[in-house]
Amino acid sequence: MSTFLVAHGSWSAGWVWKKMHPLMIARGHRLVTPSYIGMGGSAHLAHRDIDLDSNIEDMLRVLFFEDLRDVILLGHSYGGMVATGVADRARDRIKHLVYLDAYAPDEGKSSHDYSTTERRDSQRKNAVDGWKVMPGNVPADTSPEDKAWLEARRTPQPIQTYEQKFHYHNGPLTLPRTFIYAKKHMAGDPFRPFMEKGKREGWKVYEIDASHSPHVTVPEELMEILDEVAKAAGEIPFVIAGPVPAIPIVGHCVPARDARAQTGHDGGYLPP
């Protein structure tokens, strides 16, 4: 059995992966699909200061509180930005990283750095209240039933999640990676460069005959690929040498004084 942890894409949340849960269970896997703060069920907590690091921290906390280890981490679309940060900061817990039609960022790049000038300028200009980026269109091949389900639940994306630059804390990643490219690509084919990057760097690359959200439109086909990824990942030795390091919890969630009182540590760290 493998444990998959999903870093979801823009405007959606963990709920958008519901078709994959029974498929994962049937293959003997566990699927964990958390939502970032301000998205999905916590949309009422959204605010303008939520950024990329906020979303990375959300995922780090799931790893800690759910005590997840030996995880296959999957980032979809914008979630590739988040997943890369999680894989960097929790290296002892992640055994494989999957990019599903997603950003695989370089040091110092933001999601908006990879957007077209037209898209970036439009999102900045049209952001509601100066920070809420409203949902884009769903892929054209989405069924009417799924389109209604999606549009009823998608919520605005805080613009700082797109604007904040990504930075490694522990140097470039070294873990095995897989890229899944959706052949029915979006306008401008924005994720092809990351597929090509994966090929250059020796990642396993799949091409799926689907649009940008195969977990919605072709879940069975996606499950076939992910099951193959899990089987291959199970053949890769995963060894932790020495004591298990703490997971860094950054930002506003654990003030230093509280962390010190609870753990004896001065920084924003909780022991595993």
Side-chain angles (χ1 to χ4, degrees):
M1 183 194 85
S2 292
T3 296
F4 286 83
L5 174 64
V6 172
H8 63 79
S10 298
W11 304 309
S12 65
W15 56 264
V16 81
W17 285 80
K18 77 170 190 176
K19 291 185 181 183
M20 299 300 299
H21 284 280
L23 299 177
M24 285 280 181
I25 292 170
R27 299 296 182 106
H29 304 305
R30 179 186 181 190
L31 178 63
V32 182
T33 58
S35 301
Y36 311 139
I37 188 69
M39 307 301 290
S42 68
H44 60 295
L45 300 178
H47 58 85
R48 66 172 59 248
D49 295 328
I50 292 174
D51 56 18
L52 173 60
D53 276 342
S54 303
N55 293 167
I56 293 171
E57 182 177 321
D58 291 334
M59 300 295 291
L60 291 172
R61 284 182 165 269
V62 171
L63 283 168
F64 170 71
F65 286 106
E66 297 295 330
D67 197 20
L68 302 180
R69 298 180 185 274
D70 216 18
V71 167
I72 297 175
L73 177 62
L74 186 154
H76 172 241
S77 193
Y78 158 76
M81 303 287 296
V82 178
T84 304
V86 174
D88 169 47
R89 302 179 197 182
R91 296 184 183 219
D92 60 305
R93 295 180 182 249
I94 311 299
K95 70 176 180 180
H96 196 94
L97 176 55
V98 178
Y99 292 105
L100 174 59
D101 218 35
Y103 297 112
D106 293 320
E107 169 66 24
K109 294 289 188 179
S110 70
S111 176
H112 265 169
D113 287 335
Y114 294 116
S115 296
T116 63
T117 300
E118 180 181 10
R119 177 182 173 87
R120 181 171 60 247
D121 290 349
S122 175
Q123 289 183 336
R124 289 171 176 166
K125 178 182 178 181
N126 296 315
V128 175
D129 298 328
W131 63 274
K132 300 172 189 174
V133 179
M134 302 308 290
N137 295 327
V138 300
D141 63 344
T142 307
S143 71
E145 295 79 13
D146 284 339
K147 181 179 180 182
W149 170 63
L150 292 167
E151 292 182 342
R153 290 164 177 81
R154 298 169 95 206
T155 52
Q157 186 82 11
I159 197 168
Q160 284 304 314
T161 60
Y162 295 155
E163 297 278 25
Q164 187 182 28
K165 307 288 188 182
F166 169 78
H167 293 291
Y168 284 109
H169 286 199
N170 299 295
L173 298 179
T174 59
L175 84 170
R177 278 151 284 177
T178 294
F179 196 95
I180 303 172
Y181 172 73
K183 292 195 290 184
K184 296 178 182 178
H185 57 78
M186 301 165 62
D189 205 2
F191 299 107
R192 176 174 288 276
F194 304 104
M195 176 184 68
E196 298 297 341
K197 174 183 177 178
K199 289 179 177 180
R200 292 193 304 271
E201 296 188 6
W203 308 350
K204 179 70 174 178
V205 174
Y206 294 89
E207 298 188 29
I208 187 170
D209 188 19
S211 56
H212 184 53
S213 298
H215 49 293
V216 174
T217 56
V218 290
E220 293 85 1
E221 289 85 343
L222 178 60
M223 186 68 249
E224 291 292 331
I225 294 174
L226 294 179
D227 191 47
E228 185 173 320
V229 169
K231 290 174 181 176
E235 299 170 357
I236 299 171
F238 182 72
V239 178
I240 299 174
V244 178
I247 292 182
I249 306 296
V250 299
H252 60 279
C253 291
V254 182
R257 62 180 183 278
D258 295 340
R260 187 182 305 112
Q262 296 172 24
T263 70
H265 293 278
D266 288 332
Y269 289 80
L270 293 176

